[in-house]
């Protein structure tokens, strides 16, 4: 589950256009020593969807956006600390820290503008395109010889989608910030 934040221009926030989203990702990782506290590498490919929302100003002008879909490819370093080095005997509690960078592919977002009582549908609010991204995350959980279950917070900084051809100059996207809560499991081999 992810919550968008960051400026979208002239007093607007991404949360004015989009609701809290959801997503899924596939992550692979390699650890120097899978049975102990260790350093490693990770990579992931994921999909996120943020529900469309709307914003109305004091004059009654309104913009409503369709949902935003995004693919996200990330890679980076991982550090895992085992609090009980007894994993060789079966299980352990862990803290996992992850940081990295990558790219986000945004889909075009259309919407409806109502200005001065005139409604215009199918307006391109944000262009589709690729932007750079960074992430820092932390998870806690239990690890065994073959399974790893964890949960925790993550924060991403992603270049915002470009202003669409039909959007007014009031829409001026800035960096997209995103707090998320992740739940996951791994199968180790």
């Amino acid at each position: 589950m992810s919550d968008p934040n960051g400026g979208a221009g002239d007093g607007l926030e991404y949360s004015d256009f989009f609701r809290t989203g959801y997503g899924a990702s596939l992550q692979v990782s390699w650890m120097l020593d899978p049975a102990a506290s260790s350093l490693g590498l990770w990579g992931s490919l994921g999909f996120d969807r943020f529900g469309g929302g709307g914003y109305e100003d004091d004059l009654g002008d309104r913009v409503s956006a369709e949902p935003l879909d995004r693919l996200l490819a990330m890679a980076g370093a991982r550090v895992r600390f085992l609090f009980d080095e007894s994993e060789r005997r079966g299980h352990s509690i862990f803290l996992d820290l992850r940081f990295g960078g990558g790219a986000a592919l945004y889909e075009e977002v259309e919407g409806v503008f109502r200005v001065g009582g005139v409604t215009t549908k199918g307006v391109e609010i944000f262009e589709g395109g690729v932007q750079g991204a960074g992430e820092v995350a932390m998870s806690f959980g239990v690890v065994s010889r073959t399974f790893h279950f964890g949960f925790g917070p993550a924060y991403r900084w992603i270049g915002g989608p470009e202003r669409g051809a039909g959007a007014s100059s009031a829409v001026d996207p800035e960096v997209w910030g995103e707090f998320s809560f992740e739940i996951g499991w791994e199968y180790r081999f």
Side-chain angles (χ1 to χ4, degrees):
M1 185 168 6
S2 300
D3 192 32
N5 60 62
D10 201 17
L12 298 171
E13 298 287 326
Y14 288 115
S15 58
D16 293 328
F17 294 100
F18 307 108
R19 296 189 307 264
T20 298
Y22 62 90
S25 66
L26 176 64
Q27 179 177 313
V28 295
S29 63
W30 174 81
M31 302 302 288
L32 288 172
D33 183 353
S37 295
S38 183
L39 299 173
L41 301 173
W42 66 275
S44 70
L45 182 62
F47 168 81
D48 295 302
R49 171 167 266 214
F50 296 89
Y55 172 78
E56 187 167 330
D57 67 15
D58 296 336
L59 301 172
D61 297 336
R62 181 169 176 73
V63 60
S64 299
E66 294 178 343
L68 170 74
D69 292 332
R70 180 185 70 204
L71 292 176
L72 189 62
M74 304 286 284
R78 178 179 176 187
V79 180
R80 185 184 62 202
F81 301 97
L82 297 180
F83 293 108
D84 176 8
E85 296 283 343
S86 66
E87 183 184 354
R88 294 181 200 280
R89 291 174 291 187
H91 65 280
S92 183
I93 296 171
F94 72 88
L95 167 66
D96 193 87
L97 303 174
R98 190 176 79 226
F99 57 94
L105 172 62
Y106 290 100
E107 296 242 338
E108 175 184 300
V109 175
E110 292 187 347
V112 176
F113 277 89
R114 184 183 73 214
V115 179
V118 177
T119 301
T120 308
K121 297 180 181 180
V123 175
E124 182 187 54
I125 301 172
F126 296 106
E127 287 183 5
V130 177
Q131 297 287 346
E135 175 181 273
V136 61
M138 162 174 53
S139 63
F140 305 92
V142 176
V143 63
S144 72
R145 289 183 188 136
T146 55
F147 287 100
H148 165 127
F149 173 78
F151 59 93
Y155 194 82
R156 295 183 183 126
W157 297 268
I158 304 170
E162 298 291 332
R163 176 178 47 232
S168 75
S169 61
V171 177
D172 186 19
E174 298 170 7
V175 172
W176 173 291
E178 172 182 304
F179 176 78
S180 63
F181 186 79
E182 301 175 339
I183 298 174
W185 67 93
E186 294 179 16
Y187 177 74
R188 296 169 46 183
F189 53 94

